C-alpha cells in the first residue's frame, strides 16, 4: 500500500463493537507500519465528511472499514482522484469487497489487504450520487427500511435481513407507474421495483443473468412485473433458491444511459444498502475507471472483475474478454 494511510472505521453503536474493531485493526496497523491514522466513526457521525477530510489531508491510501454503505460513502469522496481506496469488510453481506476477491473473514481480509495492489474500476452514478453494487426504487428501499427496524431490535444478521423481505412483501400495497428510458428507448409500465446493477458479483450470488451487460460496460436493469403479493412471495422464494426465471419473474434490459420518471417527484432510492430521497427524474450513468481500489494480487477474474475492467478500459477489452 502507498502511504500515508488513513483508516476510516465505522463502529456503529455500542462499546463491544468498538472493542472488536480495535482488536481487529490494531494488529493490522502494526503490520502496515508507517503509523497509519485511524479515524473511528460512531453512530450518527458523518462518514462522508470524514472521507472528505482524509482526502484533503493528503493521504495516498484511505481504507474503509465497514459494510457496503460505509464503503460507498468513502468511495463517493474518492471518485476521480488518484487516492487508492482499501476495503476491510465488516458488514452483513459485504458484496463489494467480495467482488474484489477479499475473503469474508475479517482476519483473512486484513492479510489480503496488506498485500493488495491498485486497479481502476467503473462505478455507477444516479443524479450525481455514486453506487458500487446497485441502486433501486420501489420495493427494495422499503425492504431496507424494514431491515433497519429489525436490526435495531434483534441485531444484524443475514437471517434478520431475509425476514425483512418477507415482512415487507406482506405489507406490499401496489406498484408504481413509471416511465423508464434506456439508451433513448422509452416505455411506460406498472412495476413494484426497478433494480439497477453495476456489479456482477451480487447477480452471481442469486443466480441472476446480466453479467453480459456488465461485460459490455453497461448496467443490468431488472424490471419486476405488475403482480400480486403472492406472486412476489413466490419470486422471493425462487430468488433465494437461485431459481428466478427471467420470462416470468423479471425483465432484464441492458443500457448505459437510464432515465426513470414517476408521478411522485421525490422518491426513496436505495444505493448499496443505504436509503435516501432524490428528486426525479432519476438519471443513471456509468463512470468508467473512476475509482482506484486495492484488490488482492492473486484475484482470478470473476465476472464482476471482468465487467469492471472492461468498463474501465473501453470496448477493446470486451473483445479480448470474449476471446
Amino acid at each position: 500500500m502507498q502511504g500515508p494511510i488513513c483508516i476510516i472505521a465505522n463502529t456503529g453503536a455500542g462499546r463491544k463493537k468498538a472493542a472488536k474493531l480495535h482488536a481487529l485493526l490494531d494488529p493490522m496497523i502494526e503490520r502496515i507500519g508507517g503509523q497509519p491514522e485511524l479515524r473511528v466513526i460512531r453512530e450518527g457521525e458523518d462518514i462522508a465528511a470524514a472521507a472528505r477530510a482524509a482526502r484533503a489531508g493528503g493521504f495516498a491510501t484511505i481504507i474503509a472499514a465497514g459494510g457496503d454503505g460505509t464503503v460507498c460513502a468513502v468511495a463517493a469522496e474518492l471518485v476521480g482522484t488518484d487516492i487508492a481506496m482499501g476495503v476491510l469488510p465488516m458488514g452483513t453481506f459485504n458484496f463489494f469487497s467480495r467482488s474484489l476477491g477479499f475473503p469474508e473473514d475479517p482476519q483473512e481480509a486484513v492479510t489480503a489487504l496488506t498485500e493488495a495492489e491498485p486497479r481502476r474500476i467503473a462505478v455507477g452514478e444516479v443524479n450525481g450520487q455514486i453506487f458500487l453494487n446497485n441502486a433501486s426504487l420501489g420495493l427494495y428501499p422499503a425492504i431496507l427500511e424494514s431491515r433497519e427496524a429489525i436490526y435495531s431490535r434483534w441485531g444484524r444478521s443475514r437471517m434478520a435481513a431475509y425476514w425483512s423481505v418477507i415482512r415487507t412483501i406482506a405489507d406490499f400495497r401496489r406498484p408504481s407507474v413509471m416511465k423508464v428510458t434506456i439508451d433513448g428507448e422509452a416505455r411506460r409500465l406498472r412495476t413494484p421495483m426497478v433494480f439497477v446493477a453495476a456489479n456482477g458479483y451480487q447477480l452471481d450470488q442469486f443466480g441472476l443473468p446480466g453479467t453480459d451487460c456488465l461485460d459490455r460496460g453497461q448496467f443490468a436493469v431488472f424490471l419486476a412485473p405488475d403482480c400480486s403479493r403472492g406472486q412476489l412471495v413466490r419470486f422471493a422464494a425462487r430468488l433465494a433458491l437461485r431459481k428466478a426465471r427471467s420470462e416470468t419473474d423479471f425483465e432484464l434490459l441492458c443500457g448505459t444511459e437510464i432515465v426513470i420518471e414517476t408521478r411522485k417527484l421525490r422518491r426513496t432510492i436505495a444505493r448499496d444498502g443505504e436509503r435516501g430521497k432524490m428528486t426525479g427524474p432519476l438519471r443513471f450513468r456509468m463512470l468508467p475507471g473512476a475509482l482506484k481500489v486495492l484488490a488482492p494480487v492473486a484475484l482470478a477474474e470473476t465476472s464482476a472483475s471482468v465487467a469492471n475492467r472492461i468498463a474501465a478500459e473501453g470496448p477493446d477489452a470486451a473483445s479480448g474478454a470474449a476471446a
Side-chain angles (χ1 to χ4, degrees):
M1 282 185 283
Q2 299 173 345
I5 300 168
C6 177
I7 302 171
I8 297 176
N10 184 10
T11 64
R15 293 183 179 179
K16 290 184 178 179
K17 289 186 177 180
K20 181 179 178 181
L21 179 73
H22 280 285
L24 177 66
L25 292 180
D26 289 348
M28 185 184 79
I29 291 173
E30 182 178 352
R31 180 172 179 179
I32 291 174
Q35 297 183 331
E37 183 173 330
L38 174 62
R39 299 183 181 182
V40 176
I41 308 299
R42 294 176 173 81
E43 187 176 28
E45 296 181 343
D46 192 339
I47 298 170
R52 285 194 296 273
R55 182 188 65 196
F59 291 97
T61 300
I62 298 177
I63 298 171
D68 283 325
T70 298
V71 174
C72 182
V74 173
E77 301 301 326
L78 304 184
V79 163
T81 74
D82 198 43
I83 300 172
M85 184 183 75
V87 179
L88 185 59
M90 298 185 68
T92 304
F93 292 101
N94 305 305
F95 284 124
F96 182 68
S97 66
R98 289 158 66 189
S99 77
L100 294 177
F102 285 101
E104 286 195 77
D105 179 77
Q107 295 290 352
E108 294 178 8
V110 165
T111 300
L113 182 59
T114 57
E115 299 171 353
E117 291 186 352
R119 67 169 61 185
R120 285 202 168 270
I121 64 168
V123 300
E125 180 189 79
V126 53
N127 286 16
Q129 300 296 311
I130 296 301
F131 61 98
L132 304 174
N133 298 316
N134 60 70
S136 63
L137 65 156
L139 187 62
Y140 190 59
I143 289 172
L144 294 180
E145 183 177 8
S146 174
R147 183 182 299 175
E148 289 169 8
I150 292 172
Y151 280 174
S152 65
R153 183 173 182 179
W154 302 105
R156 290 179 175 269
S157 70
R158 293 190 181 181
M159 185 59 69
Y162 297 143
W163 171 244
S164 69
V165 175
I166 298 172
R167 177 175 170 178
T168 304
I169 292 176
D171 293 336
F172 174 69
R173 293 293 179 265
R174 60 179 182 176
S176 300
V177 177
M178 303 182 187
K179 178 183 177 182
V180 180
T181 304
I182 300 179
D183 291 344
E185 183 176 341
R187 63 177 67 196
R188 295 183 181 276
L189 68 157
R190 285 170 58 87
T191 176
M193 181 178 66
V194 178
F195 186 90
V196 181
N199 187 316
Y201 185 85
Q202 192 172 6
L203 304 184
D204 289 338
Q205 291 297 294
F206 289 99
L208 292 171
T211 54
D212 56 332
C213 303
L214 300 169
D215 288 348
R216 297 192 296 268
Q218 299 173 304
F219 291 112
V221 185
F222 294 85
L223 305 175
D226 185 2
C227 58
S228 66
R229 294 182 190 177
Q231 289 171 315
L232 280 174
V233 170
R234 287 191 288 273
F235 165 63
R238 286 193 293 269
L239 187 62
L241 295 171
R242 296 171 56 89
K243 294 182 179 180
R245 300 173 300 203
S246 59
E247 63 272 16
T248 56
D249 293 324
F250 57 84
E251 181 180 9
L252 170 64
L253 299 171
C254 303
T256 54
E257 298 284 341
I258 303 164
V259 181
I260 299 176
E261 301 168 82
T262 67
R263 292 176 179 176
K264 191 175 181 180
L265 185 60
R266 284 183 63 79
R267 298 296 301 250
T268 300
I269 307 300
R271 294 180 300 116
D272 293 345
E274 300 294 327
R275 297 179 304 114
K277 292 283 188 179
M278 285 190 182
T279 301
L282 304 173
R283 301 181 184 276
F284 295 77
R285 63 172 183 154
M286 194 74 82
L287 304 179
L291 182 65
K292 186 177 181 180
V293 298
L294 296 174
V297 179
L299 172 63
E301 285 196 321
T302 61
S303 58
S305 64
V306 169
N308 284 326
R309 179 177 59 82
I310 291 170
E313 297 174 6
D316 290 342
S319 60

